[in-house]
Amino acid sequence: MEKVRTPVQQRSQEKKQRIIDVSYGLFCHKGLDETNTKEIARAAGVSVGTFYSYFEDKVDVLLEIVHQQKQIQVEDSIAKMLQNSEQRPPFETIYMILRMMLDTRNLPESLQRQVSGLRYSNWRFEEFHKKEEQVTVALLTKLIESFGDEVCVPDKKKSAQLLLLLLKESFRSYTVFEQNLEKEDFLHELSVVIYNYLFVTRPELS
């Protein structure tokens, strides 16, 4: 098998994205285990050889799907807010980031369960999540630093790691499990929690 290549020309990029989009639909409908590479290639209108020129296997495709979803949901939202963040109140910035993240399409619950399971059973998924989290923590750290001296947390990177855990659990609970909480209330109250954590002086343990 030839080494997986990164498409440069627009036609090749479109072909790779078509494989990703088709795979997404098949994974959602049938699941990862019940979908094979021949089926993906046929649905995408490419040869099996072409499939393997872009991806190692179907797990590799799923990794790319998760990467694109996460990049849009988290990384792009934070990156956009970092632009001219000093020109808007911190609370507004926090709220806008949360809204952008919540409004972005999440993986369907069935596919999310498969991804969660693979994280603990597939070393590639574990390594992927570690790298993705490092990128997100770096962006969150920059965001906290952009608020300037008003921030009360002493260790900004450690605070970014904690905020990532909070966001992951809060969004997962709100989107996957039924909650008796309106969207605006959820966004506002979560924004208040984060704002208070970052900007309100904390008591020290004696």
Side-chain angles (χ1 to χ4, degrees):
M1 186 184 303
E2 295 183 1
K3 185 177 180 180
V4 172
R5 62 189 176 92
T6 301
V8 177
Q9 297 182 349
Q10 181 177 352
R11 184 179 177 184
S12 297
Q13 293 172 347
E14 292 173 350
K15 191 179 297 183
K16 180 179 180 179
Q17 188 59 47
R18 188 163 69 247
I19 293 172
I20 294 170
D21 294 339
V22 164
S23 299
Y24 177 85
L26 289 170
F27 294 159
C28 291
H29 179 65
K30 301 180 62 176
L32 181 69
D33 292 339
E34 299 302 319
T35 304
N36 59 59
T37 53
K38 290 183 179 180
E39 186 178 10
I40 294 172
R42 183 169 62 251
V46 301
S47 67
V48 175
T50 298
F51 173 91
Y52 282 115
S53 70
Y54 296 121
F55 301 99
E56 293 182 19
D57 51 28
K58 60 184 180 180
V59 173
D60 198 23
V61 185
L62 184 54
L63 281 169
E64 182 61 31
I65 290 171
V66 175
H67 169 71
Q68 290 186 2
Q69 183 267 341
K70 183 178 180 297
Q71 187 175 49
I72 293 172
Q73 184 188 43
V74 181
E75 295 171 13
D76 286 359
S77 298
I78 298 173
K80 288 177 182 177
M81 288 299 102
L82 276 171
Q83 300 174 5
N84 303 319
S85 61
E86 70 281 356
Q87 297 179 9
R88 80 175 64 84
F91 183 84
E92 182 181 337
T93 297
I94 294 169
Y95 178 86
M96 290 175 68
I97 288 176
L98 297 184
R99 170 172 281 285
M100 290 172 68
M101 291 172 62
L102 189 62
D103 287 345
T104 304
R105 182 186 68 177
N106 291 301
L107 294 176
E109 184 179 347
S110 59
L111 191 56
Q112 186 62 58
R113 285 199 298 266
Q114 296 178 67
V115 171
S116 298
L118 283 169
R119 177 167 187 179
Y120 301 104
S121 62
N122 185 292
W123 68 269
R124 279 192 289 171
F125 263 80
E126 179 62 25
E127 289 300 312
F128 166 81
H129 277 285
K130 286 180 180 179
K131 291 179 181 178
E132 291 289 292
E133 287 179 357
Q134 289 174 357
V135 172
T136 305
V137 166
L139 283 169
L140 284 171
T141 303
K142 286 184 179 180
L143 179 67
I144 295 172
E145 291 173 346
S146 73
F147 293 140
D149 296 335
E150 296 180 56
V151 174
C152 296
V153 292
D155 189 325
K156 295 176 176 59
K157 182 177 180 181
K158 191 176 296 182
S159 296
Q161 293 172 322
L162 182 61
L163 286 180
L164 178 58
L165 289 174
L166 173 64
L167 291 174
K168 286 169 59 178
E169 289 305 312
S170 298
F171 277 83
R172 185 179 70 87
S173 296
Y174 185 78
T175 56
V176 174
F177 304 106
E178 185 175 351
Q179 302 288 338
N180 294 321
L181 191 63
E182 295 295 329
K183 177 180 176 180
E184 292 302 323
D185 292 333
F186 169 76
L187 290 170
H188 182 269
E189 296 307 311
L190 184 56
S191 298
V192 170
V193 170
I194 295 173
Y195 180 86
N196 287 339
Y197 169 68
L198 292 176
F199 292 95
V200 177
T201 304
R202 302 174 302 164
E204 296 294 334
L205 291 173
S206 56

